[in-house]
Amino acid sequence: MAKLMRLVNCRSLTACKSSLSCNELHANLRSFLPAASKLHDNCCTGLPKSRYIHSSASFSLPPAPSHKLSPQEANLILRHNEHSVEIGASCSSSRSTATNEVTPPPLYSITSVDCNQLAANAPIEDKMTSARCLHTTGFLFGVFDGHGGPECSQVVAKRLFDYVAAALLPLPRLNSILKQWANGEEVQLIQVYNDKSAFVPELAAIYQSSLVRWCEHLAEDGKRQAFSMREAMVGAFLQLDRDMGREVQEADLMSADTQEALVRVAVSGSVACVAHIDGQHLHVAHAGDCGALLGRDKDDDKGGWSASKLTKSHDWENADEIKRVLAEHPPSESVNVIKNQRLLGALMPFRAFGDFRFKWTPEQQRDILDIKLNSDGFVKFCLTPPYLIAEPTVNYHRLKPRDRFLIIGSDGLWESLTGLDAVTLVGEYMCGRQTLAPVQLPARPITLGEISKLLEQRQEGLRLKPVDTNAATHLIRQCVGTSETGLDHGTLAHSLTLAPEVRRYFRDDISIHVIFFDHEYLRFCPRE
C-alpha cells in the first residue's frame, strides 16, 4: 500500500513492481484516483478547460476496444501517430557518379527520421517537433514532456524552434528578415514536418510580437559578439521562457479566453530535449529528464552495438544538479529546497519551461496567476525564487562513420528500456529492415570481402525481420508489450486496453524520434 501511495505522489506516475496481482492493483489504484486527479490538477486549480489552439490533426489515441485486441487492432493503435520523413535518401539517389571515383557526400548527413508517440495521459502531455531551418543548413528535432497539463509543452514545441533558428541566422540575413516583417511580409524561419495545427489569431499575434523582439535583440547583440552555438541554444531556451512569463503578466488588456490560455501555459510546465544537426555537427540541448543517445557500431570484429549517452537528467539523481540548486539559495532553506527528492517537495525535474509558481514570489503567484495562498496550487517555501530554471545543458558531438542513429525520447521510453536495450533494438531493426529492400551497392569501388559481409548481414536480417516499418513504433511495441519471456501479444493487448483513468499509473506518455545517419556521408565528409 505504501508503494501505491508513492505512485500518487510522484510526477511520473508509472507503476512500480510489486507482489500485488493485476486485479488487486487495479482495485487499490481506483481507491486513490480522486487524490491522484487532485494532485495532477493542482497547478490548474480553479481554471476551466480552454481550447487555445486550432488543430486539424489528432494526437490522441482512438478509443481502445474493451475486448482483447487482435494483432491487427494493436497495430492500428501503435501506428496511429507514427510518421517518417525521408531527408537525404532522395538527394543521394539522384546523383550520377563515375564508378572509378570516390562518391561525393550527399547533401545531408541524415537519411531519414522515424517518429511516434503513445499516450498514457488523456490528453497526451508529450509533444514532438521536427523541422528544417530555412535560412541555415541545419535540422532540429525535439521532444517536450509536459506536466500539470499539455498546454506548456504544446506552446514550447511550436515556438522554441523559431527562437533557435533566429539565433542561428547570420546578421545580414537577420536584418533582412526584420525588414520584411516590418513591411508586412510573411517570412518563415523553419519548415515544420507533420504539424497541421496553428495558434488562434490573438495568441499568434502575441507570440509573433515576442519573436520579433527576440530577433531585434539578436540583431543588436550580433554587432558586439561573435557567434557561439552553445550560447545561441541557451539564449533561445531562456528567452522563450522569459517571454512566456512576461506575456502572462501583460495579459490584462486581452480577452478573457486569451488571459486564461496564457495562465494555463504559465502554471503547467515542460521539460525539453532538442537536437540540432548540421552535417557532421550534432548539438543536443536539454532541460529536465528527456534524453538522447547515439547508437554506434562497435569498434571491433565481433560486431554489435554500443550506446553513447548525450544527456544527463536534471533531477535528484544528478549530484551536480543538487549542488547547483542548493548553492543558489540560503543554507537555512536547504531542508525545503529539495525535499522528498523533489524541488520544494513538489516537482521532479530541476529544470523546465513554465511552472512559474516555482519562479515567482508568493505575491506574484497570487496576483498574476490568481492562486490563493494555502490552496492546493500554491507552492510553499517559495522564499527566494527562482528555484526552477529553463537553462539547458548543451553537449556537442562530431558525428563519425560508426555513429548510425540518434534516439531522442521522453522519460516514458527511458523508464521502460535501458539505453543499450534501445540501441540494440534499433540496430537489430536496421538489420531486419535490410531484408525488405533490394541490395544496393555503394557507388564506389567495393571489394568482394565487403560484398560478402553485406550479404551475411542481410542473411542475419532475415531472422530479425521486424513487424513495423517505423523504428519508433518498434521501440514503443517493446516498451509496452514485453513480458518476462519477451515480446508477448497478451501483454501488449492488456497494456493498450487499460482504462484511461488507470493507464497513467502503469506507464508514462512515450514520444520518440529515431534519426538515421548517412554512413557514406560520414565516411567521406571532410574533417575540420
Side-chain angles (χ1 to χ4, degrees):
M1 196 68 68
K3 290 182 179 179
L4 289 170
M5 287 304 294
R6 284 198 295 273
L7 292 181
V8 174
N9 289 330
C10 69
R11 186 187 74 84
S12 180
L13 300 176
T14 52
C16 60
K17 295 181 180 178
S18 72
S19 58
L20 294 174
S21 69
C22 286
N23 290 335
E24 290 172 326
L25 189 56
H26 282 202
N28 282 311
L29 282 171
R30 278 194 291 270
S31 69
F32 292 122
L33 285 176
S37 177
K38 182 179 180 182
L39 174 72
H40 184 270
D41 293 336
N42 272 349
C43 59
C44 296
T45 302
L47 293 175
K49 294 193 177 295
S50 168
R51 181 173 181 265
Y52 67 102
I53 189 168
H54 289 314
S55 176
S56 57
S58 172
F59 292 96
S60 60
L61 288 174
S66 58
H67 64 279
K68 183 176 179 180
L69 297 177
S70 69
Q72 292 76 18
E73 290 171 325
N75 288 339
L76 285 175
I77 294 175
L78 287 173
R79 297 169 183 170
H80 181 67
N81 290 319
E82 75 174 17
H83 182 67
S84 295
V85 180
E86 297 292 327
I87 295 178
S90 60
C91 301
S92 58
S93 62
S94 62
R95 299 192 313 268
S96 60
T97 55
T99 57
N100 61 349
E101 65 181 15
V102 174
T103 303
L107 183 60
Y108 305 119
S109 59
I110 304 169
T111 59
S112 62
V113 183
D114 287 350
C115 319
N116 200 357
Q117 57 183 178
L118 181 68
N121 292 291
I124 188 171
E125 294 181 336
D126 280 7
K127 302 299 172 187
M128 303 173 64
T129 312
S130 54
R132 179 172 68 93
C133 298
L134 294 176
H135 306 278
T136 54
T137 55
F139 289 81
L140 289 162
F141 306 95
V143 170
F144 308 91
D145 186 350
H147 47 267
E151 292 85 359
C152 185
S153 60
Q154 192 167 41
V155 167
V156 173
K158 290 187 68 64
R159 297 181 65 185
L160 180 60
F161 283 8
D162 277 320
Y163 278 63
V164 175
L168 303 181
L169 290 172
L171 186 57
R173 184 61 185 144
L174 179 60
N175 286 326
S176 174
I177 290 173
L178 283 170
K179 289 181 181 178
Q180 290 177 280
W181 281 340
N183 292 332
E185 300 178 42
E186 290 188 10
V187 182
Q188 301 298 321
L189 302 183
I190 57 175
Q191 174 194 350
V192 180
Y193 302 108
N194 193 38
D195 182 11
K196 300 177 182 179
S197 62
F199 291 118
V200 295
E202 190 172 9
L203 280 177
I206 294 169
Y207 294 156
Q208 178 64 20
S209 175
S210 293
L211 178 61
V212 171
R213 290 172 62 168
W214 168 233
C215 289
E216 290 171 344
H217 168 77
L218 290 171
E220 186 61 32
D221 200 46
K223 300 174 183 178
R224 302 188 298 269
Q225 298 183 12
F227 176 78
S228 163
M229 186 67 187
R230 180 190 176 280
E231 291 179 4
M233 298 190 80
V234 169
F237 273 61
L238 292 177
Q239 186 61 43
L240 175 56
D241 194 58
R242 283 193 292 264
D243 284 347
M244 289 164 58
R246 176 184 51 79
E247 288 157 0
V248 74
Q249 293 183 59
E250 297 175 353
D252 319 21
L253 302 178
M254 302 170 193
S255 68
D257 286 345
T258 297
Q259 291 182 44
E260 177 192 319
L262 293 174
V263 169
R264 293 185 69 87
V265 171
V267 297
S268 57
S270 177
V271 300
C273 183
V274 172
H276 178 268
I277 303 172
D278 185 1
Q280 65 267 50
H281 303 294
L282 167 64
H283 290 84
V284 176
H286 79 287
D289 52 11
C290 290
L293 57 80
L294 277 170
R296 314 176 74 178
D297 282 332
K298 277 190 176 178
D299 192 9
D300 56 38
D301 296 331
K302 297 180 181 179
W305 299 90
S306 65
S308 178
K309 197 171 183 180
L310 300 178
T311 58
K312 188 175 182 180
S313 293
H314 299 124
D315 56 24
W316 71 274
E317 294 182 322
N318 186 332
D320 292 335
E321 274 298 284
I322 291 178
K323 292 178 182 177
R324 177 191 65 79
V325 173
L326 292 177
E328 292 176 352
H329 302 278
S332 58
E333 292 189 58
S334 59
V335 175
N336 294 318
V337 170
I338 299 176
K339 188 175 183 179
N340 298 328
Q341 302 175 353
R342 292 161 179 78
L343 201 62
L344 297 183
L347 191 65
M348 284 288 285
F350 291 177
R351 304 193 191 198
F353 287 94
D355 283 316
F356 287 99
R357 297 175 303 142
F358 297 85
K359 299 171 182 176
W360 289 348
T361 64
E363 292 73 25
Q364 289 175 305
Q365 294 184 49
R366 180 194 62 208
D367 297 339
I368 301 172
L369 301 178
D370 196 25
I371 298 176
K372 297 179 180 179
L373 299 180
N374 300 319
S375 68
D376 290 333
F378 179 72
V379 175
K380 300 177 182 179
F381 314 116
C382 193
L383 305 177
T384 56
Y387 294 86
L388 181 71
I389 63 173
E391 180 177 341
T393 297
V394 181
N395 294 314
Y396 170 74
H397 176 79
R398 187 194 180 282
L399 294 171
K400 302 176 180 62
R402 291 190 178 275
D403 298 329
R404 304 306 299 274
F405 53 86
L406 174 70
I407 303 174
I408 309 174
S410 60
D411 64 346
L413 169 64
W414 309 120
E415 289 171 352
S416 303
L417 297 174
T418 67
L420 183 57
D421 285 343
V423 165
T424 301
L425 285 167
V426 174
E428 291 178 348
Y429 166 88
M430 289 176 63
C431 294
R433 285 287 292 158
Q434 289 176 357
T435 65
L436 305 180
V439 176
Q440 285 189 343
L441 299 179
R444 61 175 176 80
I446 186 171
T447 66
L448 289 176
E450 289 177 308
I451 295 175
S452 176
K453 185 176 180 180
L454 177 62
L455 294 176
E456 288 176 1
Q457 291 173 342
R458 288 180 63 83
Q459 186 175 13
E460 173 66 13
L462 288 172
R463 183 180 64 83
L464 302 170
K465 185 176 178 180
V467 175
D468 300 298
T469 58
N470 182 293
T473 307
H474 180 66
L475 285 176
I476 292 175
R477 185 185 297 274
Q478 299 292 329
C479 286
V480 300
T482 301
S483 67
E484 294 179 356
T485 59
L487 192 61
D488 174 71
H489 175 69
T491 302
L492 177 65
H494 175 72
S495 178
L496 294 179
T497 53
L498 286 170
E501 65 269 19
V502 173
R503 184 171 56 206
R504 184 62 182 86
Y505 300 94
F506 287 84
R507 58 177 171 83
D508 200 353
D509 296 330
I510 303 173
S511 298
I512 304 170
H513 284 297
V514 182
I515 299 117
F516 294 99
F517 299 120
D518 189 310
H519 177 69
E520 294 297 305
Y521 177 96
L522 296 178
R523 184 174 177 180
F524 294 106
C525 65
R527 294 188 176 275
E528 297 179 359

